[in-house]
Amino acid sequence: MTNPDSSEKQLLKRELGFFDLTLFYIAGGLSLRWIATAAAAGPSTILVWIFACLFFFVPLAASVLELSARYPQEGGLYVWTQRAFGDFPGFLVAWTYWMSNLPYFPAVLYFGAGSLLFAFPHGQRLSSSGIYYLLFALGCLALITMLNVRGLKFGKWLISLGAFGSWVPIIILLVLAGISIFRFGSATKFTAMSMTPHADLKNAIFWSTIFFAFGGCETGSFMSEEIKNARRTIPRALIVSGIILASSYIAGTIALLVALPSTEISGVGGFPSAIQLMCARLGVSWIVVVIALLITLNSIGGAASFLSSTSRLPFVAGIDRYLPQAFGRVHAKWGTPWIAVIFYGFAGMLCALLSQTGSSVQSAYDLLVSMSIITYFIPFVFLFLAMIRLQREPVPHGATRLPGGKPVAVVLASVGLITTVLTIVLAIVPPNDEPHKGIAIAKVIGSTFLLVGAGVAIFLRSFWKRSETTTVILYVAIGSLAIRELSPTV
């Protein structure tokens, strides 16, 4: 019997080089909405950014760097978990990861839709229109899906525009903040007291959102067999993009706080609204249109990077027959897992439709973010555990190894594991202004158990079907052997 792994994966095309992958990480990892979210919480978030960078992002990037160099196969996290703990944890990790990204798509695209309104004189009239946000999200997801069906050769340009739409607004923001502080002074007082995070529940819950912003560096490894020289390219791109991401988040938050008080930065359109206020004070309102368009590109590029990479998880699950075999098919001409891409794109559209059922734009946005956070962090628990467990295996020749070897790898993974578990716990707790805290907790936990339970059911069904097939093959083999043994005596 032909191995589907060898027959289908050989059709994949290696389209991403170092520059492409670096832009891919920036587009997916650097979301301007988190800068506004952090600045709205005040100067104490600067230390939260630093803490999240040191205790989550660095361990995560280090684990992905080494694991992708050791095992540069399509599927990344799925392959690592499967290798460390077996098929069931591997499938469950892939399932929770791709399910967590479904609410991410409309959430990030709602931010882009809200930002786009600032580019038009009367655009804010649509700020409360759920139909507008929904149509924007559906249209973008349709475009992203079509480009990715044609291949990364086309899809990577949309992702590159998304990266361009993130760092250019930050550069403009830094310039505007410099002019603002020169003309008016700092709008925020940066003192030891104001920069110290308060140890209350409200601020502790906020940490989980900041940690969420640092996710994304694991996505490139999902497409390892579509990256040129993945064993070397992924670590190099991770290091360069990681420095850009961390510095951009911290510098961008400081710049916003220098230009505006935190009380004036909030909402789904927090970043563009803050830029609008800043430009109005400086008399350069025309810049708002440019930045609004760039922010919109950033949101679309972020959605494109996660859809293109995460769709590879159902692809490899299809190859392993834990999903219908069609998911593991590669288009003979375009070299893309086209069925997995189309399915994932339509699933994102369905999630956008469901998110607007009986909800305002702001409440739908908040629900999508909270659902994304808790389910998104479950796979990282397994990633860090896999990093620790796979240290027992020899390092392949030519693979990048963390300085310090196994002891450093285990310590970093342990730190990341503890931080991830803490983040999951904090994500469950509702904010102080939530009127129905019990219902909010039940909604988040219930939706998480529902998603995980569905994954367990699908795995068990496919496992039983495979077991039945194996049993039939075994019976046929035993019967054939018995006939052959009996035939001389007949």
Side-chain angles (χ1 to χ4, degrees), residues 265-276:
I265 309 168
S266 62
V268 177
F271 190 90
S273 64
I275 293 293
Q276 186 179 52

Side-chain angles (χ1 to χ4, degrees), residues 14-177:
R14 295 187 182 270
E15 299 285 0
L16 300 181
F18 166 73
F19 188 67
D20 299 320
L21 190 60
T22 302
L23 292 179
F24 173 90
Y25 282 131
I26 294 174
L30 181 54
S31 181
L32 300 177
R33 59 184 177 141
W34 300 128
I35 294 177
T37 300
S44 63
T45 54
I46 296 170
L47 288 181
V48 179
W49 276 126
I50 296 173
F51 183 90
C53 179
L54 293 177
F55 294 95
F56 178 72
F57 180 68
V58 170
L60 175 61
S63 298
V64 172
L65 187 151
E66 179 162 320
L67 290 174
S68 60
R70 282 172 172 257
Y71 317 105
Q73 286 88 39
E74 194 86 355
L77 177 60
Y78 170 84
V79 175
W80 308 333
T81 307
Q82 190 180 54
R83 191 180 187 97
F85 303 109
D87 290 351
F88 176 62
F91 177 83
L92 200 59
V93 161
W95 172 266
T96 53
Y97 193 95
W98 76 58
M99 283 294 157
S100 71
N101 275 283
L102 291 179
Y104 165 81
F105 295 134
V108 72
L109 290 173
Y110 285 172
F111 176 73
S115 302
L116 183 60
L117 295 178
F118 287 85
F120 302 98
H122 304 291
Q124 292 305 309
R125 294 177 180 177
L126 295 174
S127 61
S128 60
S129 172
I131 296 296
Y132 162 71
Y133 284 87
L134 178 61
L135 291 177
F136 181 89
L138 294 178
C140 289
L141 286 170
L143 174 64
I144 294 167
T145 302
M146 287 189 293
L147 289 176
N148 277 278
V149 167
R150 288 298 307 273
L152 289 175
K153 181 180 180 180
F154 299 94
K156 69 181 181 181
W157 292 110
L158 188 58
I159 296 172
S160 298
L161 287 175
F164 180 78
S166 60
W167 58 265
V168 173
I170 289 178
I171 293 175
I172 296 174
L173 170 62
L174 294 176
V175 173
L176 292 177

Side-chain angles (χ1 to χ4, degrees), residues 10-11 84 146 152 205 228 263 305 308 322 334-335 359 374 390 461:
Q10 287 179 358
L11 297 175
M146 287 189 293
L152 289 175
I205 297 169
K228 301 171 184 176
T263 54
S305 67
S308 61
Y322 291 119
W334 298 329
S359 300
I374 187 170
L390 291 174
R461 180 177 180 275

Side-chain angles (χ1 to χ4, degrees), residues 312-362:
R312 271 53 182 177
L313 294 177
F315 165 61
V316 291
I319 287 178
D320 288 345
R321 311 288 177 85
Y322 291 119
L323 289 178
Q325 191 175 351
F327 281 83
R329 298 300 185 193
V330 176
H331 197 282
K333 180 180 179 181
W334 298 329
T336 60
W338 62 288
I339 294 178
V341 171
I342 291 174
F343 172 82
Y344 202 57
F346 274 108
M349 295 178 196
L350 178 61
C351 190
L353 286 168
L354 294 175
S355 69
Q356 283 296 329
T357 305
S359 300
S360 65
V361 173
Q362 184 65 49

Side-chain angles (χ1 to χ4, degrees), residues 28 43 53 103 116 190 210 216 281 290 316 388 406-407 424 430 457 465 487:
C53 179
L116 183 60
F190 295 91
I210 296 298
R281 291 179 64 193
V290 177
V316 291
I388 296 171
K406 180 178 178 180
I424 292 174
K465 287 182 67 176
S487 60

